[in-house]
């Protein structure tokens, strides 16, 4: 959930990494230097109903009936690295059967993909037919690289239209300030209720030490202190790391939820009761949170390596029976419990705790994820632009493919029983020890930039036992909306790209130093003044304008 690096629909990330994704293809869909793969005649496509025949857009499957079309699709490769999308994975084999369209994947590791694609967009060359991204594509649409999609949505967006009825904010989020649609986005707002992100803890450690589950931040301090001092792993050594995290200092910003702040998913920008956008890092409560986290570090209750841990390092500490708490997606519990059992633990019980209540009496919360999920765009020069749109309408928006992308392939990962899907042992008792999400990703599912997430399917994937389901139900009342913003204008984008980048970089560096004790908390006032000097007032003015435009669009004004 590390979204603040580029700030939702307002700031293009400048991510590190080397360029040149392997197998780059031209916009015609063939590798550079290859002989033309164009069919002698036009591809045979399925016929959609004319406006006189249908009341709305129609997108009949299969799109291509003679197998003559291959689209080149650029996307960050499978998060499950052992199964690259280039391996013609089972989920995508089924998609090819449904659409009749073959896919040539143009992938790079997620850590390199955005930089690689941005470099190619800047060069205006070697662009594939379709590009999936998680950064703002407005500039490239204005530059004439992307296909405007509004007419195609009206003609062929049959599946998109159904989703837009259920998610009326989504089409507004996809439009430029000029009212043009260049991007197609999935939806992710139902994910948190289906499988929450939050505070995970070793319940078996609590039971061993005769402790209750923590409710407030003070309870958390006391529990973590007991984890450090009372040897819950039972090896006779003082080697416990009470709480570990990964993804840098930003992961710790979730603790602001206990103070009623929205510092992580919403990046500190949130409307007050009157609809005025505030920057919550300037709120005194943010300082209280940082003081609390510094206390955890000073007393050895929070992993000192939080700023450099990656997911594998966190998992290693958990499997070695060192860590007793973490911030993560709830489905991590299943993976960690399984790995601990493999390592010899008899009954490990990672569970989700309730979000902590704050010292000011606030009950705590968990922010939802955004309505809009990633961007898919079409190269304006693609010779298969219409087919590319119809393929995206099916892949992103159809409920048939939402089910497939979440649950996998019938007969492999699930079977139908009494009209309902039931997971097989490939998911529930994976022979390679994979958790449910990893198992689905190993066959090509759960690629987050190409999915409309539906609670009924995500719940199946993430709530695979009674404990997970019960805990998710307990957490659901604590979920609050994330803030969303309309796409920025070109001028707004330029200012955000300059000022907000500087503010975010400075803020993250200083918060890490405050937490680690490398800077005295006495410098907090100078910290907030520096944010003001960089230009937070200008950023807030832009964010307010974006928010107001989106609310006006939502209201149909």
């Amino acid at each position: 959930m590390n979204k603040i690096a580029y700030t939702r629909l307002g700031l293009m990330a400048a991510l590190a990494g080397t360029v040149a994704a392997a197998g780059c293809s031209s916009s015609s869909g063939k590798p550079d230097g290859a002989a033309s793969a164009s069919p002698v005649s036009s591809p045979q496509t399925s016929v959609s109903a004319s406006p006189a025949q249908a009341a709305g857009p129609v997108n009949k499957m299969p799109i291509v009936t003679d197998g003559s079309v291959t689209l080149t699709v650029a996307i960050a490769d499978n998060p499950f690295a052992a199964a690259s999308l280039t391996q013609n994975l089972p989920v995508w084999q089924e998609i090819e059967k449904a659409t009749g369209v073959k896919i040539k994947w143009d992938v790079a590791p997620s850590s390199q993909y955005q930089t690689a694609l941005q470099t190619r967009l800047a060069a205006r060359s070697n662009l594939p037919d379709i590009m999936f991204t998680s950064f703002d594509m407005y500039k490239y649409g204005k530059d004439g690289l992307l296909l405007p999609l509004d007419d195609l949505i009206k003609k062929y967006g049959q599946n998109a239209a159904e989703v837009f009825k259920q998610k009326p904010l989504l089409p507004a989020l996809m439009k430029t300030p000029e009212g043009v649609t260049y991007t197609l986005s999935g939806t992710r707002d139902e994910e948190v209720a289906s499988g929450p992100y939050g505070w995970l803890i070793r319940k078996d450690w609590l039971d061993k030490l005769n402790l209750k589950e923590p409710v407030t931040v003070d309870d958390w301090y006391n529990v973590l202190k007991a984890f450090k001092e009372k040897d819950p792993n039972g090896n006779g050594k003082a080697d416990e790391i009470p709480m570990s995290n990964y993804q840098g200092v930003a992961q710790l910003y979730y603790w602001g939820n206990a103070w009623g702040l929205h510092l992580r998913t919403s990046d500190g920008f949130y409307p007050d009761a009157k609809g005025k956008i505030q920057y919550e890092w300037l709120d005194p409560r943010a300082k209280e949170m940082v003081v609390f986290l510094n206390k955890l570090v000073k007393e050895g209750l929070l992993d000192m390596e939080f700023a450099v841990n990656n997911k594998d390092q966190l998992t290693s500490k958990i499997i070695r029976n060192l860590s007793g708490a973490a911030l993560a997606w709830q489905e991590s519990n299943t993976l960690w419990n399984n790995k601990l059992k493999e390592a010899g633990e008899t009954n490990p019980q990672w569970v989700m705790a309730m979000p902590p209540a704050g010292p000011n009496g606030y009950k705590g919360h968990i922010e939802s994820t955004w309505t809009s999920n990633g961007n898919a765009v079409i190269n304006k020069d693609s010779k298969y632009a219409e087919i590319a749109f119809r393929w995206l309408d099916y892949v992103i928006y159809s409920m048939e493919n939402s089910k497939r992308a979440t649950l996998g392939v019938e007969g492999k990962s699930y079977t139908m029983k009494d009209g309902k899907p039931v997971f097989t042992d490939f998911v529930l008792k994976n022979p390679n020890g994979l958790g449910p999400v990893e198992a689905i990703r190993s066959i090509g599912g759960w690629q987050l930039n190409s999915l409309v997430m539906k609670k009924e399917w995500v719940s199946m994937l993430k709530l695979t036992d009674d404990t997970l389901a019960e805990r998710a139900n307990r957490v659901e009342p604590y979920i609050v909306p994330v803030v969303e913003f309309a796409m920025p204008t070109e001028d707004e984008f330029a200012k955000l790209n300059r000022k907000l980048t500087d503010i975010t970089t400075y803020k993250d560096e200083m918060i890490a130093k405050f937490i680690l004790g490398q800077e005295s908390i006495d410098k907090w006032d100078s910290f907030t003044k520096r944010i003001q000097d960089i230009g937070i007032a200008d950023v807030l003015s832009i964010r307010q304008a974006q928010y107001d435009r989106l609310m006006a669009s939502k209201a149909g004004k």
Side-chain angles (χ1 to χ4, degrees):
M1 296 178 63
N2 186 11
K3 303 296 193 298
I4 66 167
Y6 55 84
T7 305
R8 182 76 186 103
L9 288 178
L11 185 61
M12 189 185 342
L15 298 180
T18 52
V19 202
C24 297
S25 301
S26 66
S27 61
S28 63
K30 58 181 181 291
D32 295 338
S36 175
S38 301
V40 175
S41 58
S42 298
Q44 296 178 16
T45 59
S46 58
V47 178
S48 294
S50 68
Q53 296 171 304
V58 176
N59 189 12
K60 182 182 177 182
M61 295 293 118
I63 303 167
V64 179
T65 57
D66 60 359
S68 62
V69 174
T70 297
L71 295 176
T72 305
V73 178
I75 192 170
D77 206 355
N78 195 342
F80 185 75
S84 171
L85 293 173
T86 59
Q87 296 173 17
N88 194 26
L89 300 173
V91 164
W92 295 96
Q93 292 176 28
E94 294 300 309
I95 292 172
E96 181 180 329
K97 291 177 187 177
T99 63
V101 176
K102 296 180 173 66
I103 295 301
K104 177 179 173 60
W105 292 105
D106 184 350
V107 302
S110 59
S111 61
Q112 301 173 20
Y113 175 72
Q114 292 191 18
T115 301
L117 183 58
Q118 286 171 348
T119 301
R120 293 165 66 185
L121 286 162
R124 306 175 74 95
S125 63
N126 298 329
L127 297 178
D129 297 291
I130 293 170
M131 293 161 273
F132 284 98
T133 79
S134 57
F135 58 85
D136 189 359
M137 298 296 287
Y138 172 56
K139 174 184 183 298
Y140 304 108
K142 291 274 289 185
D143 288 348
L145 293 177
L146 309 180
L147 183 73
L149 303 177
D150 297 278
D151 290 343
L152 290 170
I153 290 172
K154 293 175 183 176
K155 186 175 182 180
Y156 293 117
Q158 177 180 353
N159 298 297
E162 291 302 312
V163 173
F164 293 168
K165 289 177 185 176
Q166 301 168 28
K167 312 282 183 182
L169 195 61
L170 184 59
L173 287 165
M174 289 164 21
K175 284 189 179 295
T176 70
E178 296 80 18
V180 180
T181 304
Y182 293 107
T183 67
L184 297 176
S185 299
T187 62
R188 201 174 178 181
D189 56 320
E190 297 184 23
E191 182 184 15
V192 169
S194 308
Y197 191 98
W199 284 257
L200 310 185
I201 195 166
R202 286 281 298 265
K203 185 178 183 299
D204 55 314
W205 282 16
L206 292 172
D207 293 344
K208 183 176 181 178
L209 302 180
N210 198 28
L211 297 170
K212 294 181 179 179
E213 286 187 31
V215 175
T216 67
V217 289
D218 289 338
D219 292 341
W220 272 93
Y221 168 78
N222 292 327
V223 163
L224 295 177
K225 193 171 180 64
F227 282 0
K228 179 177 176 60
E229 297 175 349
K230 296 186 178 181
D231 193 28
N233 67 12
N235 65 359
K237 302 176 183 178
D239 57 356
E240 285 85 359
I241 306 169
M243 185 168 197
S244 293
N245 288 293
Y246 71 107
Q247 288 190 333
V249 66
Q251 199 79 340
L252 298 177
Y253 299 166
Y254 283 111
W255 281 98
N257 297 8
W259 279 263
L261 302 173
H262 310 79
L263 303 177
R264 179 66 167 116
T265 311
S266 292
D267 195 23
F269 294 96
Y270 210 77
D272 62 18
K274 297 181 179 180
K276 185 175 181 180
I277 300 297
Q278 306 292 330
Y279 189 57
E280 294 179 338
W281 282 105
L282 303 181
D283 190 301
R285 292 173 293 173
K287 179 180 178 181
E288 293 179 22
M289 179 204 72
V290 171
V291 169
F292 171 76
L293 293 173
N294 173 250
K295 180 181 179 181
L296 297 185
V297 167
K298 282 194 300 187
E299 298 190 24
L301 310 183
L302 177 64
D303 192 346
M304 285 284 289
E305 296 180 331
F306 68 78
V308 296
N309 280 339
N310 59 33
K311 190 173 184 179
D312 289 340
Q313 289 167 324
L314 169 65
T315 302
S316 174
K317 291 173 182 179
I318 287 168
I319 294 172
R320 286 184 289 138
N321 212 20
L322 299 178
S323 296
L327 282 159
W329 289 103
Q330 186 190 211
E331 69 262 21
S332 301
N333 290 336
T334 302
L335 175 65
W336 295 345
N337 286 335
N338 289 342
K339 293 294 185 182
L340 282 164
K341 288 176 184 176
E342 290 174 10
E345 284 294 300
T346 55
N347 189 31
Q349 296 179 50
W350 277 94
V351 299
M352 169 157 276
M354 297 302 98
N360 55 6
Y362 183 72
K363 72 170 185 175
H365 67 250
I366 293 175
E367 282 190 87
S368 69
T369 40
W370 297 287
T371 300
S372 175
N373 176 35
N375 303 307
V377 297
I378 298 174
N379 179 359
K380 189 176 182 180
D381 294 331
S382 170
K383 66 181 180 182
Y384 295 133
E386 188 172 278
I387 292 172
F389 174 84
R390 294 181 62 187
W391 186 85
L392 286 171
D393 177 69
Y394 175 82
V395 168
I396 296 177
Y397 297 114
S398 74
M399 291 302 99
E400 178 178 89
N401 199 54
S402 175
K403 177 182 177 182
R404 178 188 296 122
T406 311
L407 305 185
V409 177
E410 185 176 356
K412 172 69 173 179
S413 53
Y414 73 92
T415 58
M416 297 301 294
K417 185 175 181 180
D418 299 327
K420 296 181 179 180
V422 178
F423 278 133
T424 66
D425 284 350
F426 175 80
V427 175
L428 300 178
K429 298 178 182 178
N430 185 267
N432 297 315
L434 303 177
V437 169
E438 288 80 8
I440 295 299
R441 281 179 168 166
S442 76
I443 58 173
W446 203 244
Q447 307 299 312
L448 299 186
N449 273 346
S450 55
L451 181 60
V452 166
M453 296 185 181
K454 299 301 294 180
K455 184 177 179 181
E456 60 182 306
W457 309 133
V458 180
S459 294
M460 262 195 71
L461 178 62
K462 293 198 170 192
L463 308 179
T464 51
D465 63 46
D466 291 342
T467 299
L468 292 173
E470 185 268 335
R471 294 281 170 158
N473 288 335
R474 285 174 59 187
V475 166
E476 188 167 2
Y478 292 84
I479 296 173
V480 300
V482 66
V483 70
E484 309 226 39
F485 297 106
M487 199 176 293
T489 66
E490 200 164 1
D491 180 61
E492 289 171 344
F493 179 87
K495 290 177 180 177
L496 287 171
N497 198 33
R498 183 176 66 255
K499 294 190 176 183
L500 187 51
T501 298
D502 290 346
I503 288 169
T504 300
T505 299
Y506 172 72
K507 177 256 296 177
D508 289 344
E509 289 175 353
M510 288 299 295
I511 295 301
K513 289 179 179 179
F514 284 137
I515 292 173
L516 290 169
Q518 296 170 354
E519 287 283 359
S520 170
I521 199 67
D522 293 339
K523 294 185 178 180
W524 185 265
D525 288 346
S526 62
F527 160 70
T528 57
K529 184 178 186 304
R530 176 62 181 152
I531 289 175
Q532 292 168 334
D533 291 344
I534 295 173
I536 190 61
D538 292 337
V539 172
L540 279 168
S541 178
I542 293 169
R543 285 297 193 219
Q544 189 69 55
Q546 290 178 272
Y547 181 74
D548 290 345
R549 288 200 303 271
L550 187 63
M551 292 301 102
S553 176
K554 181 180 178 182
K557 297 178 181 178

